[in-house]
Amino acid sequence: MLLFDDYKKDILEEIKKIYSVSENDIDINGDYGDFTLKIFKFQNEKEEVYSKIKSTLNKDYIENIELQGNYINFFIKPGKMFNVVENSIETFGMYPNTFQDTSKALIEHTSSNPTGPIHVGRIRNSIIGDSIYRIINRFGTRSCTQYFVNDSGKQVISLYLGHVKYHKGEQMTVENLLDGYQKIYSNMEKDQSIKKEIQELDERYERGDRELISDIQKTASIVLESITASLEKLGIHISTYVWESNFILYGEVAALMDQLSEELKSEGNAKYLEIGDKKIFVTRQDGTSLYFARDLVYHMFKSQNFDWVIDVLGEDHKDHAKNLDYVLHNYLDFPSKIDYLFYGFVSLESGKMSTRKGNIITVNDLYEKTVEESEKIIREKRPDYPEETVNQISNAVASSSIRFNIVKINANKPLTFRWSEALNFEGDSAPFIMYAYARACSVLSRAGNSRESNSKYNEYEKNLIKAMYLYPYYLQSSVDFLRADIIAGYMLYLVKSFNEFYLNCPVIGNEEEYKRIRLLKAFKRIMEDSSDLLGIRLLEKI
RNA sequence: GGGCUCGUGGCCUAGUAUGGAUAAGGCACCGUCCUUCUAAGUCGGUGAUCGUGGGUCCAAAUCCCACCGAGCCCGCCA
């Protein structure tokens, strides 16, 4: 799929001609060489193996081959690696060059119930989902994102009823809707009639009462707009929204239930599927549909237009997804490739987050505080920057920091949100990356005319070249494992190699200026490329 | 109780898929470097029986078993 050159394969092929080695015997990212061949199985004859390989392997890109312990390390000429990078950028405008796949992918992420503002727990879903979307797109599979709007079922009916009961006549706002929603749940325990009202509304809804559906959709829209606005602050744009109610309104849920009729079992009027020894209910006693049924319909819908479907889900959905997957493949002949990407819950130092108890940090709060902190630091460090620049930088820093701090952690790890970490702009952080980019831009802006020189690459230049050269490997594995954190780790590695280069290799006015400017141009391009995958907003000045 | 996931210096994380060279970064702490391209940076130092105990192997953070601890799930909620 990728069109970049691969020395590893070439070296391996050559060695295979004389010794029986497999792909697992050779590593690309060793600390001791550019490629490392493990020769434990030739321990008794390693000198011989080494000299034979060394004399046989006559490649113009190999600078050196060394025997160290039970390893043979291959060193690639930096100039060769850099040519690969530079040629690709000059020819295709990017490195690595990828070609567009004909298949299409759909990443469903966020899909938060529109019953309140989005908080730092939910946003992990959006950040991971959006990054994966960008990564897959970059890799060459056309993709888009989708938000499944839950505008049916008890929760959103409660939201609607809360407004009717407690805020009737008021203009709908996120605040009074949330208040009504919380009141419904707290009063429900004392007042059984509320449950009944909800049930009646649900039945009307499922019968296709267009006026009610439209009212509820309107209610959900108000909250959804605030969620969308929060997402946009982080550069997260959802391509399409699919409203759950449409599947009910146009009879698709009912149609799917018909399709499944042979598999369905009854308990009274309620219907369920038996998966293993578990009963998965799809309709209630009163005939109304359950989330599982609607989600099945939604997935069949997704498969109509997409070859690859990816769901980004909280770990609490693991069982749901497992059951869903079972039904899709065993009863419904699901035609697309499907992957489920789970992420661990985000907790606060004070414990679990709960919208109803009110101990949440909303994305808007987080964003605001991060902007403030950033402004404070910029005013300290760059007192000469005009207000507009401070604003621009602090917004970019806030958006990038929030995203990076969350995406850099492996999704299946639990995460504790800490203000001290969220507001730290040093070390493994987005500003650390942004700062390196700004430095590179600053040097490039001063570049004059310089002549080519023939000197070899020093170790700092070589490390930077290698870090750039390896970008496709990280990109590939982040796609293979659907892990955006791999790109985050790569960026930190790339930036560290740049920082060492920057400190040790003066560019402007140096006799190596021409060569180093070329390195910086490539670095700049790869920084832009990889930052974009994570939604890090680079600026020429920071 | 059953199922899934996580456990790596004081704190946070990478490495675990494919076992291999002194376990790699960051935060915090101590010290270094701005008359050279942005010090949100650099370099050095302190600090790890890789949850515990067994097993497999020439070799285990990585594979297997057991146990301990944390999270999530086990609704005619979503």
Side-chain angles (χ1 to χ4, degrees):
Chain A
M1 193 169 204
L2 289 170
L3 298 177
F4 58 91
D5 291 335
D6 199 334
Y7 300 133
K8 177 185 163 182
K9 278 187 192 128
D10 196 36
I11 291 174
L12 192 65
E13 285 314 306
E14 286 301 310
I15 298 171
K16 268 183 177 169
K17 288 176 189 165
I18 38 178
Y19 289 105
S20 110
V21 291
S22 72
E23 202 173 336
N24 289 342
D25 292 324
I26 192 162
D27 293 332
I28 60 160
N29 201 10
D31 298 327
Y32 299 85
D34 297 319
F35 298 95
T36 291
L37 182 73
K38 294 175 265 191
I39 50 164
F40 289 87
K41 54 182 155 186
F42 305 112
Q43 269 189 65
N44 298 327
E45 39 172 347
K46 51 192 180 191
E47 294 289 345
E48 188 195 326
V49 172
Y50 166 63
S51 55
K52 195 159 176 189
I53 285 177
K54 194 172 180 177
S55 59
T56 314
L57 210 59
N58 204 359
K59 297 288 184 184
D60 65 340
Y61 56 78
I62 291 180
E63 188 168 67
N64 194 16
I65 302 176
E66 288 175 8
L67 175 67
Q68 287 162 324
N70 290 311
Y71 304 87
I72 294 174
N73 294 317
F74 301 84
F75 296 85
I76 306 299
K77 286 179 186 160
K80 291 287 178 184
M81 284 195 264
F82 186 60
N83 281 346
V84 174
V85 176
E86 196 176 44
N87 287 342
S88 178
I89 291 172
E90 276 170 6
T91 314
F92 306 105
M94 62 172 110
Y95 172 76
N97 179 41
T98 50
F99 64 86
Q100 283 285 305
D101 210 325
T102 52
S103 67
K104 284 187 291 181
L106 179 73
I107 293 89
E108 181 207 340
H109 71 75
T110 311
S111 300
S112 273
N113 281 350
T115 49
I118 191 161
H119 59 68
V120 297
R122 293 284 187 197
I123 204 69
R124 192 175 190 189
N125 186 318
S126 319
I127 290 170
I128 290 170
D130 188 60
S131 303
I132 288 295
Y133 150 71
R134 291 164 182 247
I135 289 166
I136 287 173
N137 227 13
R138 170 66 178 90
F139 198 64
T141 303
R142 278 175 299 161
S143 42
C144 38
T145 54
Q146 199 163 78
Y147 189 125
F148 190 41
V149 186
N150 169 240
D151 64 333
S152 63
K154 284 204 299 201
Q155 268 152 20
V156 73
I157 285 171
S158 302
L159 183 76
Y160 166 78
L161 187 63
H163 192 264
V164 170
K165 283 180 97 76
Y166 308 111
H167 294 278
K168 199 172 178 98
E170 291 173 38
Q171 176 90 29
M172 280 185 185
T173 63
V174 181
E175 290 73 26
N176 66 31
L177 282 170
L178 182 64
D179 179 71
Y181 178 70
Q182 286 169 332
K183 281 204 172 99
I184 284 283
Y185 275 94
S186 59
N187 290 340
M188 194 154 34
E189 286 165 29
K190 302 170 236 162
D191 185 357
Q192 286 296 310
S193 72
I194 292 178
K195 262 187 191 162
K196 218 170 178 183
E197 279 182 82
I198 292 170
Q199 193 188 324
E200 280 164 14
L201 284 171
D202 198 20
E203 284 174 36
R204 263 176 65 197
Y205 191 108
E206 292 257 349
R207 280 195 306 268
D209 183 327
R210 281 173 188 262
E211 200 186 334
L212 178 67
I213 291 176
S214 150
D215 283 350
I216 285 179
Q217 218 170 49
K218 227 180 282 168
T219 312
S221 308
I222 303 283
V223 183
L224 187 63
E225 273 168 31
S226 92
I227 292 173
T228 304
S230 299
L231 293 178
E232 295 282 352
K233 282 182 186 166
L234 302 183
I236 298 171
H237 180 77
I238 311 263
S239 326
T240 48
Y241 291 81
V242 169
W243 295 75
E244 204 175 294
S245 56
N246 288 339
F247 295 126
I248 295 169
L249 204 52
Y250 299 114
E252 288 168 57
V253 175
L256 190 87
M257 291 306 103
D258 279 349
Q259 200 184 329
L260 280 170
S261 59
E262 280 188 24
E263 314 297 339
L264 289 176
K265 295 186 173 154
S266 301
E267 203 169 284
N269 285 325
K271 298 268 198 299
Y272 66 89
L273 290 156
E274 212 165 42
I275 300 171
D277 53 1
K278 275 186 189 158
K279 293 175 180 175
I280 308 294
F281 280 86
V282 293
T283 61
R284 297 192 186 89
Q285 200 61 242
D286 61 14
T288 56
S289 66
L290 286 157
Y291 165 64
F292 191 84
R294 300 192 294 262
D295 208 23
L296 280 175
V297 175
Y298 175 45
H299 278 81
M300 294 311 288
F301 168 78
K302 289 199 266 195
S303 72
Q304 286 170 16
N305 298 306
F306 296 94
D307 309 284
W308 186 12
V309 171
I310 298 169
D311 293 357
V312 182
L313 301 166
E315 61 181 347
D316 55 335
H317 278 62
K318 276 185 180 174
D319 276 357
H320 170 77
K322 201 174 143 192
N323 294 329
L324 188 86
D325 193 75
Y326 182 87
V327 175
L328 289 176
H329 289 107
N330 290 284
Y331 301 150
L332 292 170
D333 213 10
F334 190 72
S336 309
K337 180 185 173 199
I338 182 161
D339 282 299
Y340 308 91
L341 204 173
F342 299 105
Y343 64 93
F345 272 45
V346 181
S347 56
L348 301 176
E349 284 172 286
S350 57
K352 263 200 257 182
M353 258 180 285
S354 159
T355 311
R356 283 177 216 166
K357 286 177 190 160
N359 63 329
I360 56 164
I361 297 170
T362 65
V363 170
N364 289 348
D365 284 348
L366 172 60
Y367 189 82
E368 220 170 275
K369 287 216 171 63
T370 313
V371 168
E372 269 171 37
E373 180 70 13
S374 174
E375 281 175 350
K376 204 179 95 195
I377 291 172
I378 298 164
R379 293 212 170 90
E380 266 169 39
K381 293 181 189 290
R382 318 268 188 267
D384 57 317
Y385 278 11
E387 193 62 14
E388 201 191 321
T389 310
V390 174
N391 258 318
Q392 193 195 358
I393 297 172
S394 53
N395 277 290
V397 165
S399 166
S400 306
S401 290
I402 293 168
R403 291 187 65 133
F404 191 78
N405 280 330
I406 288 176
V407 83
K408 72 178 176 184
I409 313 266
N410 191 328
N412 60 13
K413 293 235 183 192
L415 185 65
T416 304
F417 177 86
R418 290 184 180 85
W419 280 109
S420 60
E421 286 168 15
L423 301 179
N424 174 33
F425 300 147
E426 290 169 10
D428 291 349
S429 68
F432 175 79
I433 290 165
M434 296 166 75
Y435 186 67
Y437 179 79
R439 278 175 143 184
C441 289
S442 175
V443 178
L444 284 171
S445 73
R446 284 156 212 268
N449 294 320
S450 47
R451 284 191 191 166
E452 182 138 23
S453 56
N454 289 324
S455 66
K456 293 179 96 177
Y457 292 98
N458 66 27
E459 64 171 310
Y460 303 106
E461 293 163 334
K462 178 172 178 178
N463 289 338
L464 177 60
I465 287 170
K466 188 176 169 187
M468 294 194 283
Y469 176 75
L470 288 176
Y471 179 40
Y473 293 87
Y474 288 86
L475 186 60
Q476 171 108 45
S477 74
S478 78
V479 172
D480 288 348
F481 303 110
L482 294 177
R483 278 182 50 188
D485 61 295
I486 287 177
I487 299 296
Y490 169 72
M491 293 206 72
L492 293 173
Y493 158 55
L494 176 65
V495 163
K496 275 166 192 156
S497 65
F498 165 79
N499 282 338
E500 287 188 23
F501 164 83
Y502 180 87
L503 258 292
N504 294 290
C505 305
V507 180
I508 305 305
N510 192 278
E511 56 184 20
E512 307 287 355
E513 178 169 332
Y514 179 80
K515 183 180 73 181
R516 290 176 179 168
I517 287 291
R518 282 169 58 194
L519 294 184
L520 284 178
K521 281 183 179 165
F523 170 74
K524 182 170 185 267
R525 185 70 198 88
I526 292 172
M527 284 288 282
E528 288 160 356
D529 197 299
S530 50
S531 290
D532 191 48
L533 302 182
L534 303 182
I536 293 174
R537 285 161 55 190
L538 297 175
L539 300 168
E540 305 229 333
K541 277 176 82 174
I542 180 170

